[in-house]
Amino acid sequence: MNDSIYLASIYRLTGVNFRLAAETLAAGMETKEDGTPAKLSAIPFYFVASHAAELFLKSALLKRGFAESDLKQFDFRHSLNALLTALQEKGVTVTQDTVELINGLHHQHQTHALRYTALVDDGKPTFMPPPPLVFRCLTSCCC
């Protein structure tokens, strides 16, 4: 596709739909006193929220002239950290909370652990911050 602004809007709209799905999942989530999930049934929320973050990051990059073909390169495919770094290199300021959220979600998103192996004890805990933090970061992420 040659129109990067149009494509950016499609990525953004799709990201919004994933964010709305995350809101639906969060509404039924049981949480502990610290706001983190009380049950493993929260894993789909983090998968959907991570995908929303990926779409928002890609949308923001496309909006700033990043080529769609570059987004499909191995270094950027599902790499929240690489997408965030590329966006920051474009001069976009991102909150520290958002940087920390992206860093926390990165590995499990890139390896698809939330879809397949989140329950496998590989010594790496599944990153599950409080949903309000996730939504705050998704809202401020990558306009």
Side-chain angles (χ1 to χ4, degrees), residues 1-73:
M1 173 162 296
N2 292 334
D3 187 348
S4 62
I5 299 300
Y6 173 75
L7 188 58
S9 68
I10 297 300
Y11 274 63
R12 178 106 181 130
L13 178 59
T14 306
V16 167
N17 284 318
F18 272 83
R19 186 191 192 285
L20 291 170
E23 289 176 7
T24 299
L25 290 169
M29 185 186 304
E30 293 180 44
T31 57
K32 300 178 203 171
E33 286 184 23
D34 66 357
T36 60
K39 296 183 177 181
L40 292 173
S41 58
I43 291 171
F45 165 79
Y46 293 97
F47 169 72
V48 171
S50 294
H51 193 59
E54 179 182 351
L55 290 163
F56 289 149
L57 288 163
K58 287 180 175 181
S59 172
L61 285 165
L62 288 164
K63 183 176 163 183
R64 288 163 179 83
F66 210 80
E68 177 186 18
S69 59
D70 290 338
L71 291 178
K72 293 180 178 182
Q73 297 300 313

Side-chain angles (χ1 to χ4, degrees), residues 71-92:
L71 291 178
K72 293 180 178 182
Q73 297 300 313
F74 180 78
D75 290 346
F76 293 102
R77 293 185 67 206
H78 310 299
S79 177
L80 299 178
N81 283 349
L83 294 166
L84 179 63
T85 298
L87 189 60
Q88 290 172 312
E89 289 172 355
K90 293 278 188 185
V92 175

